[in-house]
Amino acid sequence: DARPTRRPAAVRVAPDQPLTGREIEVLGMMADGLGNKIIAARLGISTHTAKFHVASILAKLGAGSRAEAVAIGMRGGLVAI
């Protein structure tokens, strides 16, 4: 089988692109299961801005989904349980 194997997601945040305080706050809300509209309302920002924060979090953590981002954040100590 010539297909490459998938590696587990990285546990750490890339040091050259740490999450901002706001992104950590949004990640915590994602861990609570909140969607972009509710995150936006709670933070007093637009839904577009909330979506931008989520996309930035996913990119910085190398996550393919919100759930994966939360898992990485938990393992990396960015999200309290």
Side-chain angles (χ1 to χ4, degrees), residues 1-72:
D1 192 3
R3 288 181 291 170
T5 57
R6 253 188 106 184
R7 293 184 181 180
V11 175
R12 62 180 179 77
V13 177
D16 59 331
Q17 288 193 338
L19 296 185
T20 65
R22 180 64 100 182
E23 289 168 344
I24 292 170
E25 190 175 9
V26 170
L27 182 60
M29 292 182 185
M30 289 166 56
D32 289 338
L34 303 181
N36 293 348
K37 287 182 183 180
I38 296 173
I39 290 171
R42 289 204 180 166
L43 296 177
I45 60 177
S46 71
T47 303
H48 175 77
T49 300
K51 186 176 179 179
F52 179 83
H53 285 313
V54 170
S56 180
I57 291 165
L58 295 178
K60 287 181 178 182
L61 296 180
S65 68
R66 294 168 77 100
E68 185 179 10
V70 169
I72 293 167

